[in-house]
């Protein structure tokens, strides 16, 4: 049973009925769906910070989590012990990737030099375990938001010493990413924004962080670190306003500062909601602009306006996400689905960590099955094609081939009576579309 006192999680399908908690009902890693194995479409990753470090605190209470490694009271002993627990959890779940911040895996020392030495010890052990298990690093990142030194940001801090420290931290993180063969490297700007605009030079701060990103790209090139760089948009929380607000804002930033060759986006469900979007919207924006990089799989709650980081179980959302992923051909060049998610405070046992990942993995596997069936039938593609068909020929085609002018269009429209214009529009039958998507969910999962 190992360190966690839990057996390897197996795929049992639906034969045992709906209540088999410690087994996969839909996630069948090697099953081929839409031309690829499920595990290669989904590339699940475990988030070190939530799964191993999150104590399930909330603003009103201390942690409720019960974890077997809490018996190691020395921070370094605990950090090293966690590596064993981590790799056993990955292999028992059959998850092939993981992600971490520098601060998740090793305690800080008083100086960057001491901190880096702590990191090296844990990274040695992580590297050994990666070799032994074949589990890979989906991405690593630097925490430039936890320590009080980052109170006013890191690469947008008004304090130059802090900026320099952040750069030093990044240098080390990129070296670790290279050493561990990171597929991606993530930048989430949790404190890169402002609390108040009156004391903020917004453009100056953005110039600074752009320079920071260029330095990171240059250094990665210099040391031969070839991870795909990703910006992870989030509109707010912890700061009042964050500069990488949403996908569209982040893409505009990358274009403004000539960073489009280096960066793509890592998109997160709950962040999308905080920005007033759906997860599907954020993925669509990135996909159509060519910036889809990777996904942080979690969900928010309709009734609560902050970052809940719930494990994703909303099938309607996983279907939408996987529909976009199938349309793109992959999550991203080197992307995966990282569970940036934590069990609820009331799900505090070690076993709940497994249950939560199983729920997330099954929900995305189910989403993949449904979306694959929709793509196979060309249901959405046909519906969209028909909707825009008036642009395939006639006056519409002149718009798309660039020959239309305001005058040519006005000339075409000038004598059209209202009755003809209304006749040119068609009902979307949106309620039927939504009901049909429901039917796809019901039918595809009944067949699974
Ligand atoms: C916080 C972010 C964070 C990033 C990595 O809301 O999602 O966890 O994924 O720094
Ligand atoms: Ni988040
Ligand atoms: Ni995230």
């Amino acid at each position: 049973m190992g360190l966690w006192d839990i057996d390897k999680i197996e795929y049992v399908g639906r034969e045992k009925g709906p209540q088999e908690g410690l087994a996969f009902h839909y996630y069948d890693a090697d099953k081929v769906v839409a031309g690829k194995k499920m595990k290669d479409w989904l590339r699940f990753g475990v988030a070190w910070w939530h799964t191993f470090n999150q104590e399930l605190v909330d603003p009103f209470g201390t942690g409720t989590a019960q974890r077997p490694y809490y018996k190691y009271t020395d921070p370094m002993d605990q950090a090293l012990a966690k590596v064993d627990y981590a790799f056993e959890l990955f292999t028992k779940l059959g998850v092939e990737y993981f992600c971490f911040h520098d601060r998740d895996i090793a305690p800080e020392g008083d100086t960057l030099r001491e901190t880096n030495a702590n990191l090296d010890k844990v990274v040695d052990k992580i590297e050994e375990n990666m070799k032994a298990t074949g589990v890979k690093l989906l991405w690593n990142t630097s925490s430039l938001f936890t320590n009080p030194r980052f109170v006013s940001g890191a690469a947008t801090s008004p304090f130059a010493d802090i900026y320099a420290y952040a750069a030093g931290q990044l240098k080390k993180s990129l070296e670790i990413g290279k050493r561990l063969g990171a597929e991606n490297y993530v930048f989430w700007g949790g404190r890169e924004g402002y609390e108040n605009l009156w004391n903020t030079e917004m453009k100056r701060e953005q110039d600074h962080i752009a320079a920071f990103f260029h330095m990171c790209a240059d250094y990665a090139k210099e040391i031969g670190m070839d991870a795909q760089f990703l910006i992870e948009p989030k509109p707010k929380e912890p700061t009042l306003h964050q500069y990488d607000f949403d996908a569209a804002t982040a893409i505009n930033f990358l274009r403004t500062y000539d960073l489009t060759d280096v960066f793509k986006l890592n998109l997160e469900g709950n962040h999308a909601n905080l920005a007033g979007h759906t997860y599907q919207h954020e993925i669509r924006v990135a996909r159509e602009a060519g910036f889809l990089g990777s996904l942080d799989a979690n969900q928010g709650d309709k009734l609560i306006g902050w970052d809940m980081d719930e494990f994703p179980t909303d099938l309607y959302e996983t279907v939408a996400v996987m529909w976009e992923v199938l349309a793109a051909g992959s999550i991203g060049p080197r992307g995966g689905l990282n569970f940036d998610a934590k069990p609820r405070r009331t799900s505090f046992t070690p076993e709940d960590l497994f249950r939560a990942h199983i729920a997330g993995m099954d929900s995305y596997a189910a989403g993949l099955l449904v979306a694959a069936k929709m793509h196979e039938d060309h249901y959405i593609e046909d519906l969209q094609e028909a909707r825009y068909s008036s642009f395939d020929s006639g006056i519409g085609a002149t718009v798309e081939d660039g020959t239309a002018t305001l005058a040519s269009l006005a000339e075409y429209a000038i004598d059209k009576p209202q009755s003809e214009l209304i006749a040119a529009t068609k009902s979307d039958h949106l309620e039927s579309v939504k009901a049909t998507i429901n039917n796809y969910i019901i039918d595809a999962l009944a067949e699974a």
Side-chain angles (χ1 to χ4, degrees):
M1 300 281 270
L3 295 169
W4 287 99
D5 204 18
I6 282 187
D7 290 326
K8 185 164 175 15
I9 310 301
E10 306 287 353
Y11 169 72
V12 299
R14 294 301 313 278
E15 267 142 48
K16 289 193 179 173
Q19 291 179 29
E20 184 62 32
L22 280 168
F24 294 119
H25 299 104
Y26 295 107
Y27 183 59
D28 185 3
D30 292 321
K31 180 182 170 132
V32 175
V33 179
K36 268 200 266 189
K37 289 182 178 172
M38 270 192 165
K39 65 175 188 174
D40 296 329
W41 276 117
L42 299 164
R43 291 165 50 104
F44 289 124
V46 169
W48 202 287
W49 54 103
H50 280 311
T51 297
F52 307 116
N53 296 359
Q54 175 56 248
E55 294 170 5
L56 307 180
V57 294
D58 73 12
F60 302 95
T62 51
T64 59
Q66 298 169 0
R67 301 291 178 252
Y69 38 74
Y70 288 170
K71 64 185 175 210
Y72 299 94
T73 46
D74 173 73
M76 202 56 199
D77 289 348
Q78 189 177 106
L80 288 164
K82 270 183 195 162
V83 177
D84 295 319
Y85 283 89
F87 279 84
E88 189 184 297
L89 180 136
F90 303 155
T91 46
K92 284 194 162 160
L93 282 169
V95 167
E96 295 187 342
Y97 296 90
F98 67 107
C99 303
F100 64 83
H101 301 80
D102 44 9
R103 291 299 82 84
D104 303 336
I105 59 168
E108 285 201 272
D110 188 46
T111 63
L112 188 54
R113 191 183 300 281
E114 287 168 26
T115 298
N116 289 350
N118 288 350
L119 269 174
D120 285 339
K121 282 187 205 133
V122 183
V123 169
D124 284 344
K125 189 164 177 188
I126 288 180
E127 191 179 32
E128 279 166 31
N129 276 269
M130 288 174 72
K131 284 196 183 126
T133 58
V135 173
K136 297 176 281 276
L137 182 57
L138 185 63
W139 50 263
N140 65 315
T141 183
S142 240
S143 168
L144 301 180
F145 45 87
T146 316
N147 191 289
R149 74 178 80 92
F150 299 124
V151 59
S152 300
T156 61
S157 172
F159 312 116
D161 279 13
I162 304 306
Y163 187 102
Y165 188 98
Q169 220 179 298
L170 245 293
K171 177 173 176 291
K172 182 66 180 176
S173 273
L174 294 174
E175 288 160 5
I176 291 172
K178 175 179 159 65
R179 183 169 165 202
L180 299 181
E183 302 269 335
N184 305 276
Y185 189 88
V186 164
F187 294 82
W188 171 62
R191 298 203 190 267
E192 314 292 22
Y194 58 79
E195 284 302 332
N196 193 297
L197 202 47
W198 288 111
N199 68 5
T200 302
E201 292 190 46
M202 195 156 76
K203 179 167 186 303
R204 195 170 182 186
E205 290 198 358
Q206 296 203 29
D207 290 350
H208 288 175
I209 195 171
F212 188 88
F213 287 151
H214 277 288
M215 286 184 241
C216 292
D218 290 346
Y219 188 66
K221 207 165 164 194
E222 189 185 319
I223 63 172
M225 194 258 194
D226 67 350
Q228 170 67 55
F229 277 14
L230 303 171
I231 285 194
E232 185 178 314
K234 184 174 181 182
K236 56 188 167 193
E237 209 202 302
T239 27
L240 182 83
H241 175 95
Q242 278 148 224
Y243 293 138
D244 50 14
F245 197 91
D246 63 359
T249 311
I251 292 169
N252 181 56
F253 169 86
L254 294 174
R255 290 194 174 128
T256 304
Y257 289 102
D258 194 22
L259 286 160
T260 53
D261 290 348
V262 187
F263 279 91
K264 295 199 185 298
L265 303 181
N266 182 42
L267 299 167
E268 180 163 322
N270 209 156
H271 297 186
N273 303 156
L274 292 177
H277 305 311
T278 61
Y279 201 5
Q280 184 179 19
H281 168 97
E282 287 294 85
I283 298 171
R284 179 74 64 87
V285 168
R287 170 167 83 76
E288 293 195 325
F291 284 92
L292 185 55
S294 196
L295 297 174
D296 268 10
N298 66 14
Q299 70 183 29
D301 187 289
K302 282 192 190 75
L303 304 180
I304 295 181
W306 71 81
D307 199 5
M308 299 291 287
D309 287 339
E310 280 187 24
F311 271 88
T313 51
D314 177 346
L315 279 185
Y316 210 85
E317 185 161 272
T318 64
V319 168
V321 169
M322 291 315 297
W323 191 89
E324 298 295 332
V325 167
L326 284 159
S330 71
I331 291 178
R334 303 173 71 176
L337 279 169
N338 165 49
F339 288 113
D340 196 348
K342 60 188 182 207
R344 294 308 83 196
R345 190 173 155 76
T346 48
S347 301
F348 46 73
T349 70
E351 191 186 278
D352 285 318
L353 280 179
F354 286 81
R355 289 182 181 272
H357 284 88
I358 292 167
M361 291 164 79
D362 260 348
S363 299
Y364 265 97
L368 170 63
L369 290 168
V370 176
K373 183 67 183 136
M374 285 166 65
H375 275 286
E376 193 185 306
D377 287 1
H378 267 242
Y379 172 56
I380 296 293
E381 288 87 342
D382 289 351
L383 173 157
Q384 291 185 356
E385 237 175 78
R387 191 156 186 260
Y388 296 91
S389 59
S390 63
F391 282 88
D392 293 339
S393 60
I395 193 72
T398 69
V399 173
E400 294 200 346
D401 67 19
T403 56
T405 63
L406 216 53
S408 74
L409 296 175
E411 161 76 14
Y412 175 84
I414 192 105
D415 292 319
K416 288 222 182 265
Q418 173 71 357
S419 58
E420 226 179 280
L421 293 171
I422 297 300
T425 67
K426 292 192 177 70
S427 166
D428 279 339
H429 309 305
L430 260 187
E431 293 70 20
S432 294
V433 172
K434 291 184 190 173
T436 305
I437 293 172
N438 284 348
N439 292 341
Y440 268 106
I441 294 176
I442 293 162
D443 293 355
L445 297 184
E447 273 167 36

